Amino acid sequence: MSTRKTGTTETAPWWQRAVFYQIYPRSFQDTNGDGIGDLPGIINRLDYLNDGKDNTNSLGVTALWISPFYPSPMTDFGYDISNYTDVDTMFGSLDDFKRLLSEAHARGIRVIIDLVLNHTSDQHPWFIESRSSKDNPKRDWYLWHPGRPPRFQWLLGKKRRPRKPNNWLAIFELKGAWWWDKKTREYYLGTFTRSQPEVNWRNMDVREAMYDVMRFWLDLGVDGFRLDVVNWFVKDDQFRSNPWTTNLNPDLFQNHIYDRNRPETHDICRGMRQITEKYNGDERILVGEIFTRITGLAAEFHGYNNDELHMAFNFDFLYQPWSARAFFQSIERWYGAIPDGAWPNFTLSNHDQPRHYGRFKEKGFTEARARVAAAMVLTLRGTPFLYYGEEIGMDNLPIHHADLQDPFGKRTWPIRRFGRDPERTPMQWDSTPFAGFTEHGRRPWLPIPRDSVTRNVAVQLDDPDSLLNFYRTLITLRSRRAELQLGDIRFLIPGTRNVLAYRRDLLTEDGNQTVAVFLNFASRTVLDFQRDILSAERATFGAENWKVLLGTHRAAGSEVGLPTLQACEVLILEPAR
Ligand code: GLC
């Protein structure tokens, strides 16, 4: 059973204390009536996120991760960038971004932006140059290969196109990842879609160009980056084929030892960290997406000397079933995997996976489960990353074939669990026809669910018992109690009888501060769970009297003796003094 300790509150950097909120800008708020969200829309909604004062009507988050808003042909909705240092006119202008940054900072909100450096769009000038001829100076900026000699060449003559160099796959096309360029008669690599050619990170000019992109945004004042698919940057220098495996999701039956996860990538991360550190030490951060199910592999990207990413995204919660035991094991796995001194993080939903509200659906208990999940992610030791709309219980919307946008969703239709449109629908602000997302009558880029009339921010702000107000109370509690941000964590109940419980302790100048969290994952009452409290803790825990700080079934301030937990009860306690 792990105990995790930390430094003092004064020395902890902002991102260890922050609550992050991911905005998918296409879907947050439209202001120009084109049915697509934009940066001025985010500015208009900043007060909802954090008003910088008392947060009377705000969620209270303190940091944003904004998905890509750069110029892009939008084949992968901005994850295919054609200019790294500007804003797509669809989203506004660079001046809008500067205004967004200063308005956010004025409210105490930090902003990290999404950099997609594994590949560019095929419309990026670098690629246009690179594909123009074999001896173009930028040829080597991308991964080109003449291919393997065709089969039966002796029989069919030289005109036949060479075979693809190896078995690597383009995951959103479900085809081989090498794309034939007719003009220069070579293949280029694109392991997402053919419109996303992969850059050659082994080329030092590419590396410098990407580092310059980072400097451009750091000079503008961004607080850091969410880095897309970091573990894909470097490919095997001999382009060897991956071995086959039995794992379909997300590995498509391959063991990705040659097209991903190359050890050379760590060097690049160290280079990036040296850049951010020039901007005042740990103030500007790197949060990297490590696209893998292998926890240990993701955790390594912090660097064993803590000299790589500040946080490597921990995606393990995205794959857990609704089970206290499964979450306990997942938490322990992550705490155990990250190097000493690295800081944990947790996330339940993002723009690539079905929303957890829908994943954990259970008749009569879906909303209650959403509360348990929220209480968990907002009281664990580690930075929480929320996904826009989870605070009002947005669900995955089944999308008709005609409305599909996501290239992966189109390719895998009608298998709905793979497409990513269902979790990207517009934010539900109010009860107007387009849910306050857009006002000018143009249909939003993705449909809005019918239940937005009742499930939206305006309705839930008015209802003291709403999920939104539950999130707000949790975030306020986390912001007020340093032990919830930085304290050690010790598990009391490791998921037995579907209950997860832990204490968070922090030694401060005023003595030890403690909060205890009980989460009943079961859809039934659990009696007398004190017996399940780990024996080492029973003495200390039982000896104290506890008072409710926040609960789904008991009033704040009431004293408890811990006899039972109601179905899906959340109980957050402090010692009664
Ligand atoms: C990452 C992004 C995803 C995108 C892909 C290709 O996994 O999160 O949305 O499609 O990279 O850039």
Side-chain angles (χ1 to χ4, degrees):
M1 205 68 40
S2 68
T3 300
R4 299 266 147 186
K5 296 194 187 298
T6 193
T8 64
T9 48
E10 291 76 38
T11 56
W14 65 268
W15 45 272
Q16 297 185 349
R17 314 182 66 167
V19 175
F20 272 84
Y21 186 89
Q22 180 192 355
I23 291 182
Y24 195 70
R26 290 181 76 84
S27 298
F28 202 56
Q29 177 68 63
D30 179 24
T31 56
N32 64 356
D34 63 357
I36 295 170
D38 43 46
L39 299 184
I42 300 177
I43 299 173
N44 290 355
R45 294 295 184 179
L46 282 175
D47 277 342
Y48 164 71
L49 299 169
N50 191 325
D51 65 11
K53 294 176 221 137
D54 51 8
N55 282 334
T56 322
N57 281 312
S58 316
L59 188 56
V61 295
T62 53
L64 303 180
W65 147 26
I66 306 178
S67 283
F69 45 73
Y70 317 93
S72 161
M74 301 288 160
T75 308
D76 191 18
F77 298 105
Y79 285 90
D80 49 327
I81 297 174
S82 54
N83 178 354
Y84 283 109
T85 52
D86 206 347
V87 170
D88 197 292
T89 49
M90 168 186 292
F91 294 122
S93 65
L94 200 54
D95 279 339
D96 289 327
F97 179 76
K98 290 181 191 161
R99 198 156 57 86
L100 166 55
L101 201 57
S102 74
E103 293 271 343
H105 286 167
R107 291 166 175 80
I109 306 174
R110 305 281 188 149
V111 179
I112 70 168
I113 60 173
D114 207 322
L115 274 187
V116 188
L117 305 180
N118 172 69
H119 46 270
T120 67
S121 156
D122 60 353
Q123 302 306 309
H124 195 293
W126 297 344
F127 187 67
I128 293 174
E129 266 196 60
S130 181
R131 79 186 308 176
S132 66
S133 82
K134 273 190 194 162
D135 45 43
N136 184 280
K138 291 222 165 51
R139 184 66 170 184
D140 187 51
W141 280 41
Y142 290 82
L143 293 157
W144 291 96
H145 198 289
R148 288 180 288 177
R151 289 204 174 91
F152 310 117
Q153 190 173 20
W154 51 273
L155 187 66
L156 297 164
K158 286 226 156 146
K159 284 229 166 105
R160 242 179 112 92
R161 184 190 290 184
R163 281 182 298 149
K164 300 196 173 196
N166 58 30
N167 71 354
W168 300 352
L169 292 167
I171 61 166
F172 296 157
E173 301 225 27
L174 301 180
K175 280 186 175 164
W178 292 94
W179 308 97
W180 184 244
D181 180 59
K182 273 197 199 135
K183 185 169 167 219
T184 57
R185 296 194 59 78
E186 280 192 333
Y187 287 102
Y188 68 86
L189 182 71
T191 64
F192 287 96
T193 66
R194 67 191 75 189
S195 322
Q196 292 160 293
E198 321 237 338
V199 301
N200 178 13
W201 271 95
R202 290 180 191 273
N203 177 313
M204 288 302 157
D205 293 337
V206 169
R207 226 176 256 207
E208 262 321 300
M210 292 309 197
Y211 289 167
D212 278 347
V213 168
M214 297 174 71
R215 292 187 190 103
F216 172 87
W217 292 102
L218 289 165
D219 288 341
L220 271 188
V222 301
D223 297 291
F225 305 104
R226 179 269 185 189
L227 297 165
D228 198 61
V229 288
V230 172
N231 59 323
W232 298 35
F233 286 178
V234 183
K235 317 292 186 275
D236 178 40
D237 54 1
Q238 297 167 51
F239 298 108
R240 281 169 283 191
S241 281
N242 287 322
W244 296 99
T245 69
T246 49
N247 181 348
L248 166 64
N249 188 16
D251 290 340
L252 290 177
F253 301 120
Q254 291 192 357
N255 185 2
H256 294 276
I257 53 175
Y258 294 126
D259 60 344
R260 306 176 196 167
N261 309 324
R262 303 302 302 164
E264 295 92 326
T265 319
H266 294 281
D267 230 32
I268 298 172
C269 294
R270 279 189 287 272
M272 291 177 159
R273 179 72 172 251
Q274 282 162 16
I275 291 172
T276 57
E277 285 187 353
K278 293 235 162 71
Y279 294 76
N280 205 359
D282 269 352
E283 276 292 292
R284 315 287 186 98
I285 60 163
L286 302 169
V287 187
E289 176 195 30
I290 315 298
F291 190 91
T292 176
R293 290 280 296 263
I294 308 166
T295 303
L297 209 143
E300 276 178 11
F301 278 83
H302 295 94
Y304 285 99
N305 297 318
N306 285 304
D307 54 356
E308 297 186 32
L309 308 179
H310 296 82
M311 289 184 275
F313 261 119
N314 167 17
F315 287 158
D316 208 44
F317 275 9
L318 300 173
Y319 304 110
Q320 298 313 312
W322 186 253
S323 146
R325 186 81 193 152
F327 277 102
F328 168 73
Q329 287 168 342
S330 171
I331 297 160
E332 283 285 90
R333 216 169 17 249
W334 187 250
Y335 287 157
I338 58 175
D340 281 347
W343 181 253
N345 68 88
F346 295 96
T347 187
L348 286 159
S349 288
N350 64 28
H351 66 295
D352 289 328
Q353 299 290 336
R355 287 176 176 277
H356 68 271
Y357 190 86
R359 291 205 310 272
F360 300 142
K361 220 165 238 178
E362 167 81 355
K363 203 160 184 247
F365 290 98
T366 305
E367 187 88 12
R369 285 183 170 191
R371 286 172 203 246
V372 174
M376 175 175 66
V377 83
L378 287 162
T379 58
L380 281 174
R381 177 183 155 82
T383 300
F385 283 79
L386 311 180
Y387 183 49
Y388 83 93
E390 76 170 68
E391 72 275 23
I392 53 170
M394 276 175 64
D395 200 348
N396 305 299
L397 180 68
I399 307 288
H400 295 297
H401 187 256
D403 291 328
L404 287 181
Q405 302 284 341
D406 176 26
F408 191 38
K410 289 180 185 169
R411 171 61 67 187
T412 51
W413 177 266
I415 312 171
R416 290 200 168 158
R417 66 183 262 236
F418 293 124
R420 298 170 298 173
D421 295 321
E423 62 264 23
R424 296 176 176 179
T425 59
M427 179 68 178
Q428 297 162 202
W429 293 106
D430 59 37
S431 308
T432 57
F434 291 135
F437 166 70
T438 180
E439 283 172 7
H440 302 268
R442 173 83 74 88
R443 270 182 60 183
W445 77 288
L446 278 173
I448 292 180
R450 280 209 206 106
D451 82 341
S452 67
V453 179
T454 48
R455 182 176 294 283
N456 62 54
V457 169
V459 165
Q460 292 202 18
L461 275 177
D462 278 351
D463 171 5
D465 294 328
S466 66
L467 184 60
L468 173 56
N469 277 319
F470 187 66
Y471 266 84
R472 293 181 58 229
T473 322
L474 278 167
I475 293 171
T476 308
L477 185 65
R478 189 175 175 102
S479 73
R480 292 204 180 130
R481 306 291 296 230
E483 63 270 44
L484 281 178
Q485 301 161 22
L486 301 169
D488 308 340
I489 186 162
R490 270 185 295 163
F491 285 93
L492 303 168
I493 305 180
T496 40
R497 293 202 278 166
N498 228 353
V499 172
L500 182 62
Y502 39 90
R503 11 181 333 159
R504 303 289 315 276
D505 289 278
L506 185 71
L507 198 56
T508 68
E509 280 176 0
D510 308 329
N512 192 43
Q513 294 179 9
T514 302
V515 165
V517 180
F518 288 84
L519 305 169
N520 184 8
F521 281 64
S523 309
R524 53 175 172 73
T525 304
V526 175
L527 296 164
D528 196 16
F529 60 83
Q530 260 206 6
R531 263 187 297 156
D532 296 327
I533 291 181
L534 295 169
S535 53
E537 295 291 341
R538 198 176 293 147
T540 46
F541 194 83
E544 289 173 80
N545 289 321
W546 296 83
K547 195 170 79 178
V548 179
L549 269 171
L550 197 170
T552 47
H553 293 67
R554 299 166 212 236
S558 53
E559 300 229 352
V560 284
L562 302 178
T564 56
L565 277 180
Q566 304 298 311
C568 288
E569 179 165 357
V570 171
L571 193 54
I572 304 181
L573 308 171
E574 65 175 339
R577 303 207 190 271

